[in-house]
Amino acid sequence: MLDLKFVRENKETVEKELKNRNIKFDLEKFLEMDKERRGVIAKVEKLKAEQNQANQKIASEKDSKKKQALISEMKKVAGQIKKLKPAPDFEKKFLELWRQLPNISVDTPIGKDENDNVLDHEWGSKPKFDFDPKPHYEVEAVKKMFDIKKGSQISGARFWYLKDKIAKLQFALINYTIDFFTKEGFELMVTPAMVKKGPLINTGFYSSEKDRNDVYYVTTLEKVEKDEVDLFLSGTSEVPLASYHQDEILDLKKPKKYLGYSTCFRREAGTYGKDTRGIMRGHQFDKLELFIFADQKDSWKFYEELLKISEKFWQNLKLPYQVMSMCTGDIALPNARKFDIEGWIPSEKRYRELGSCSHDTDFQARRLKVRYRDKDGKTKLAYTMNHTACAIGRTIIAIVENNQTKEGNVKIPEVLQKYLSFREIKT
């Protein structure tokens, strides 16, 4: 979340950011609530100081009548404090509004939606076929290995089975991703697939109605409405990775770099009719996520390195891609800067997102209270960055479609061959 002091002192900057992100928010009302809240807190703190002084007098007072008079007076003060404290409903509303304020973007193109994202650069040559390339779920050698019909029968729409060599390809991708990024200094973690409400809120994944609609609740709806949620299925291991150092002061002479693996779950609310065929968009998917905690001074250097390392990962797979600079209307609340890596999908004749690389400055760390000490010993909030190391399903799609042959076979990228007993999936 944003620093309240910053919001008070930089009203125009915050208003501009809200406008650039197309977020409707009554900043004037929020600042009025903040002023009212601060006034009450100041009065409460003053009364508490009086209470502490009186308690010291009570402890040292030997005259029983005077002591009793002081105690009676302090009971009145305690009653005043109780009445003055912000009402729970007021405090809840204030926090809800506070969480809706976005991070302040850095060097981010201004735009309404994905149509205003800006191409940064492209890499690789798109494959040239002497036939019409098929979508992954129609390529002859592998089409029976995507069992979407059975997945729908057992679990509903947007669930599936991966079988045989495609299932083996998934594990080859996992092993390649682990080997590649651990050599780059990332520590591997298998993260929890379920998280509490706090980590979702603190990482910025429960701030809007859209966020809440996209999460699976491991409880009843009645409990959700009463704030009695037990657990949530996480949509990304970014949530447990970011929360790993909650309430800690870290040594960040070197950045802390993590590679998290987890099965992820998203309701995909609002995507009815989109990507209904194949495995492009599912409710359950496996993903490896990169996460970095860094000091404020060097964080942008590490962010550039994160994107470069990730590009090398895709280049090794020989998959053509483009890097998009995401506009203000197409980035999440925590993001100050975001690039997407999009892979070429021949059957659609367009690029599709394979991963997102985000710099969130201190937005998440402020909620999570993740700090470090600088060279002068001063405590500061850490800066956080994240990037999709490998979204398994979408990467499988890109591999199958870019490496299909006229005969309906699929060639395996060379970098994955050492993890498999075959170099081609044949009909």
Side-chain angles (χ1 to χ4, degrees), residues 73-338:
E73 191 63 31
M74 280 308 96
K75 284 182 178 179
K76 291 180 182 178
V77 172
Q80 286 179 283
I81 291 172
K82 191 175 181 180
K83 288 179 181 178
L84 273 173
K85 278 186 177 179
D89 287 347
F90 178 92
E91 191 71 6
K92 183 180 179 181
K93 180 63 176 176
F94 179 79
L95 287 172
E96 284 177 355
L97 289 172
W98 189 5
R99 291 174 186 138
Q100 291 172 28
L101 288 173
N103 202 352
I104 303 301
S105 56
V106 177
D107 297 329
T108 299
I110 297 170
K112 287 186 176 182
D113 52 35
E114 60 183 15
N115 296 312
D116 294 321
N117 295 333
V118 177
L119 175 65
D120 191 82
H121 63 274
E122 293 178 294
W123 182 90
S125 300
K126 299 168 188 173
K128 294 180 180 179
F129 301 103
D130 58 359
F131 61 96
D132 289 331
K134 293 183 178 180
H136 61 284
Y137 51 85
E138 289 183 1
V139 175
E140 191 63 34
V142 297
K143 64 183 182 181
K144 291 183 179 178
M145 299 176 192
F146 301 107
D147 201 333
I148 297 163
K149 183 179 179 181
K150 286 288 187 181
S152 297
Q153 288 175 357
I154 303 304
S155 303
R158 299 188 189 273
F159 289 93
W160 48 73
Y161 290 84
L162 297 185
K163 297 165 63 177
D164 196 20
K165 288 184 173 65
I166 287 295
K168 290 179 180 179
L169 179 59
Q170 163 152 331
F171 286 99
L173 273 169
I174 292 169
N175 285 320
Y176 162 59
T177 307
I178 290 170
D179 286 350
F180 181 90
F181 286 107
T182 52
K183 285 177 183 176
E184 295 289 346
F186 288 83
E187 181 181 350
L188 178 63
M189 283 191 180
V190 178
T191 64
M194 291 190 285
V195 295
K196 296 178 181 178
K197 190 176 184 179
L200 277 177
I201 290 173
N202 292 336
T203 50
F205 285 90
Y206 203 76
S207 300
S208 67
E209 184 179 354
K210 181 183 181 300
D211 291 337
R212 293 189 287 274
N213 284 336
D214 224 14
V215 180
Y216 282 102
Y217 308 96
V218 191
T219 184
T220 63
L221 182 59
E222 288 77 15
K223 282 192 172 184
V224 171
E225 291 171 347
K226 294 177 182 177
D227 281 338
E228 295 176 353
V229 176
D230 298 318
L231 289 168
F232 300 77
L233 293 175
S234 182
T236 170
S237 57
E238 178 187 341
V239 177
L241 286 173
S243 305
Y244 186 70
H245 290 296
Q246 183 172 333
D247 297 317
E248 292 184 22
I249 298 177
L250 307 177
D251 179 357
L252 290 181
K253 292 183 180 69
K254 290 183 179 180
K256 288 195 172 294
K257 301 161 68 177
Y258 297 111
L259 169 65
Y261 171 80
S262 71
T263 299
C264 305
F265 301 87
R266 291 180 189 168
R267 290 184 59 220
E268 292 289 349
T271 62
Y272 181 80
K274 292 182 180 179
D275 303 316
T276 55
R277 302 191 69 184
I279 65 166
M280 180 64 77
R281 193 184 299 274
H283 293 309
Q284 174 186 325
F285 53 95
D286 290 341
K287 182 162 70 84
L288 290 104
E289 185 83 11
L290 302 170
F291 200 89
I292 298 177
F293 295 93
D295 65 21
Q296 297 183 11
K297 181 172 63 71
D298 297 320
S299 71
W300 289 99
K301 178 186 74 173
F302 297 134
Y303 181 61
E304 289 178 10
E305 290 175 0
L306 177 61
L307 187 59
K308 287 178 182 177
I309 290 167
S310 298
E311 286 195 61
K312 185 180 175 184
F313 171 87
W314 297 109
Q315 289 168 11
N316 287 351
L317 286 166
K318 301 292 191 293
L319 293 174
Y321 65 82
Q322 65 180 14
V323 177
M324 300 295 291
S325 179
M326 311 305 281
C327 74
T328 51
D330 199 28
I331 59 177
L333 282 184
N335 304 154
R337 191 80 167 101
K338 182 183 175 186

